[in-house]
Amino acid sequence: MDVGAIVHSSLVIIKAKESDSYLCSEMTWRKRPLYYGRKKLMGGNKNENDISPHFTLSRELCEEIEPSNKYKESFAPREDLVLIREAILNSSNLKPWVSFLVTIPCVDGGLDKDLNVYGNTYLSTLPEDAFALAREHIAQGKRITNEGDACVVTLDELLRGKVLFAYANGVILDRFLREHYSLHREIIPNPEKVIVHSEHSIPLTY
């Protein structure tokens, strides 16, 4: 299927091992107001020097879960951020899931043109001590990411169908929830009508 130019993105679904809770991020970038306040999975887009989807994810999380001067006083201790980040990326917890070829439509307040994306998606099942540490810092108003605001979303909240996600993150997480919990209905709304063209195994290299 020829959909034109394609962006590669590496994302991670971060689930608590002992509970149905998910560590996400909340969009705070106001240049695309449609997505402001929506949730997103952690990770990001491929850079020209990245050699694999796993490399992209590792680089993005090392950039994202790291103190920045902009929010220096409000960050959790760096040693805690390193512990959380390393737990997410630990090979015992992190597994490749599915790569989705999607089209995110142009829409007012969002993208100014259609965007085709390979969403290379991983699942990290986080041990309870690392997840609890992240949850505690978030509850205390401490930052654990420098891109957006980290947040915890529960399955109960997702099942109510009121939690919106940015870009194609919603259709990807929706697909995971349906498979993981054997559900047969849409869980996460898709108001922009993101199109899923196909699903693939995540490539080892670009």
Side-chain angles (χ1 to χ4, degrees), residues 20 52 55 124 128 145 155-156:
D20 293 318
S52 69
F55 186 97
S124 183
E128 202 57 36
T145 62
L155 178 62
D156 285 344

Side-chain angles (χ1 to χ4, degrees), residues 6 16 24 27 45 48 56 67 92 115 117 149 154 166 190 192 200:
I6 297 174
C24 301
M27 298 283 289
N45 293 341
E48 61 179 354
T56 299
S92 297
L115 180 65
V117 180
D149 294 331
T154 66
N190 180 17
E192 286 78 55
H200 309 268

Side-chain angles (χ1 to χ4, degrees), residues 23-167:
L23 181 62
C24 301
S25 185
E26 186 171 294
M27 298 283 289
T28 57
W29 197 43
R30 295 183 181 273
K31 290 186 178 180
R32 291 179 179 156
L34 176 70
Y35 298 130
Y36 182 81
R38 291 195 187 188
K39 307 299 189 281
K40 65 180 286 290
L41 303 175
M42 293 191 189
N45 293 341
K46 170 184 179 289
N47 283 353
E48 61 179 354
N49 294 323
D50 291 352
I51 59 175
S52 69
H54 184 272
F55 186 97
T56 299
L57 180 64
S58 298
R59 176 187 54 73
E60 282 286 336
L61 291 186
C62 286
E63 294 171 1
E64 193 170 349
I65 305 177
E66 180 71 19
S68 73
N69 290 331
K70 183 177 179 181
Y71 305 108
K72 188 174 182 180
E73 299 303 321
S74 58
F75 261 96
R78 187 176 187 276
E79 57 268 27
D80 288 355
L81 302 185
V82 171
L83 188 154
I84 293 165
R85 185 176 68 222
E86 290 185 348
I88 295 170
L89 292 171
N90 187 298
S91 59
S92 297
N93 308 324
L94 183 71
K95 304 299 178 187
W97 184 49
V98 177
S99 180
F100 296 88
L101 175 57
V102 304
T103 297
I104 307 170
C106 165
V107 62
D108 288 345
L111 299 177
D112 55 9
K113 62 180 180 179
D114 291 357
L115 180 65
N116 303 310
V117 180
Y118 267 122
N120 300 305
T121 309
Y122 294 78
L123 171 65
S124 183
T125 305
L126 212 56
E128 202 57 36
D129 56 345
F131 199 96
L133 183 62
R135 189 202 303 268
E136 179 182 351
H137 283 309
I138 292 168
Q140 294 175 352
K142 293 291 186 181
R143 300 189 67 88
I144 64 169
T145 62
N146 55 53
E147 298 177 14
D149 294 331
C151 59
V152 172
V153 182
T154 66
L155 178 62
D156 285 344
E157 291 172 321
L158 294 169
L159 288 174
R160 296 188 195 114
K162 302 295 185 183
V163 182
L164 291 178
F165 281 74
Y167 305 109

